[in-house]
């Protein structure tokens, strides 16, 4: 029997969801071209993208709409997206084809294992985490992705001067994120407290609806010292 102390707590539940025909076709055609298979060895990011350019990691891109928009608006930057859910991966692959994007690569695997084994120290210029699962019940807070050990792991993969950008629409999670990021000695806050939404992060339909209903959204922007 496995020792439970040797297994990390997963921050996601694997909900496969229903793949549309278009998403299925995109997975079949797009993964061989834009996907990167998980491997327990360091990834050569420049080779994976076919060029030398700033590299930004995003964990949990959902259906990929915002990710595709960001990649389209920042063609001089390469974006590596990690997501476990098939419909989201398929949808972003479809958007890559529709928008003719060449600066996106996707890994369908547990993000913690990818960061642990595939990303070298000081290899990233930025990190995005948008609207992660808030695990709202207090007994589930330990499943939240933003914890001190995880942030330290991400920071170790960032170059000096690289940024961390997070956003959430759960206020208590936003406060936890701010506390965890403030407590990481290798980071400094770019502002005093929460940050204005940067121009590069588009408003999602879900977010626009929440704002109309008076719900808050909190952005955090930290820089590695």
């Amino acid at each position: 029997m496995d020792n439970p102390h040797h297994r990390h707590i997963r921050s996601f539940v694997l909900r496969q969801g229903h793949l549309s025909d278009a998403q299925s076709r995109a997975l079949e055609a797009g993964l061989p071209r834009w996907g990167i298979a998980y491997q327990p060895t360091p990834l050569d990011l420049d080779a994976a993208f076919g060029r030398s350019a700033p590299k930004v990691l995003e964990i949990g891109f959902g259906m990929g709409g915002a990710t595709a928009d960001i990649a389209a608006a920042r063609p001089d930057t390469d974006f590596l997206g990690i997501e476990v859910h098939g419909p989201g991966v398929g949808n972003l692959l479809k958007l890559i084809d529709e928008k003719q994007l060449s600066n996106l690569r996707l890994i369908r695997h547990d993000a913690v294992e990818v960061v642990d084994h595939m990303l070298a120290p000081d290899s990233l210029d930025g990190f995005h985490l948008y609207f992660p699962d808030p695990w709202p019940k207090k007994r589930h807070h330990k499943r939240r992705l933003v914890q001190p050990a995880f942030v330290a792991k991400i920071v170790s993969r960032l170059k000096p001067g690289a940024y961390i950008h997070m956003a959430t629409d759960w206020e208590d999670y936003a406060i936890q994120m701010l506390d965890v990021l403030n407590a990481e000695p290798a980071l400094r806050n770019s502002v005093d407290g929460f940050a204005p939404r940067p121009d590069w992060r588009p408003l999602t339909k879900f977010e626009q609806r929440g704002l109309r209903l008076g719900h808050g959204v909190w952005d955090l922007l930290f820089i590695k010292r």
Side-chain angles (χ1 to χ4, degrees):
M1 182 175 177
D2 289 343
N3 183 336
H5 297 293
H6 292 164
R7 299 197 303 263
H8 71 263
I9 297 171
R10 294 193 184 277
S11 63
F12 60 88
V13 174
L14 194 56
R15 298 179 292 267
Q16 293 299 343
H18 174 70
L19 279 165
S20 70
D21 290 342
Q23 290 164 0
S24 294
R25 289 194 299 271
L27 276 170
E28 185 175 347
L31 263 185
R33 185 174 184 187
W34 306 116
I36 297 172
Y38 171 76
Q39 57 188 40
T41 54
L43 174 67
D44 183 333
L45 287 168
D46 283 350
F49 285 88
R51 66 174 183 171
S52 178
K55 301 293 190 287
V56 173
L57 171 68
E58 180 177 5
I59 287 179
F61 54 73
M63 296 305 287
T67 304
D69 287 344
I70 292 169
R74 297 171 60 183
D76 294 334
T77 299
D78 292 329
F79 295 89
L80 177 65
I82 304 175
E83 178 59 72
V84 292
H85 297 109
V89 176
N91 198 64
L92 183 49
L93 287 166
K94 183 167 68 74
L95 292 172
I96 288 173
D97 183 58
E98 290 173 357
K99 295 175 180 287
Q100 295 295 292
L101 301 173
S102 60
N103 59 334
L104 259 171
R105 299 291 183 274
L106 312 183
I107 300 179
R108 187 181 179 187
H109 196 77
D110 175 23
V112 172
E113 292 184 353
V114 173
V115 174
D116 275 343
H117 303 300
M118 294 186 69
L119 298 178
D122 302 322
S123 60
L124 298 172
D125 298 272
F127 172 70
H128 295 173
L129 181 68
Y130 300 146
F131 305 100
D133 194 327
W135 293 100
K137 294 181 180 178
K138 191 168 184 179
R139 69 176 184 271
H140 291 155
H141 284 187
K142 63 187 177 183
R143 293 184 176 273
R144 288 177 169 177
L145 189 59
V146 182
Q147 309 283 354
F150 173 77
V151 168
K153 193 189 304 285
I154 292 296
V155 167
S156 73
R157 270 55 179 178
L158 296 176
K159 300 173 184 176
Y163 70 89
I164 285 180
H165 181 215
M166 300 182 182
T168 180
D169 56 346
W170 285 77
E171 185 174 12
D172 73 310
Y173 198 4
I175 293 168
Q176 177 182 326
M177 289 176 170
L178 185 61
D179 288 344
V180 171
L181 293 173
N182 274 329
E184 170 51 58
L187 294 175
R188 63 172 178 85
N189 200 341
S190 66
V191 296
D192 183 16
F194 296 106
R197 178 178 60 87
D199 292 341
W200 70 71
R201 185 177 74 75
L203 287 171
T204 65
K205 291 180 181 177
F206 171 81
E207 185 179 357
Q208 289 170 337
R209 178 178 178 275
L211 290 171
R212 285 197 300 270
L213 294 172
H215 300 168
V217 174
W218 293 266
D219 282 76
L220 304 95
L221 185 59
F222 278 70
I223 308 297
K224 182 174 178 178
R225 299 180 192 276

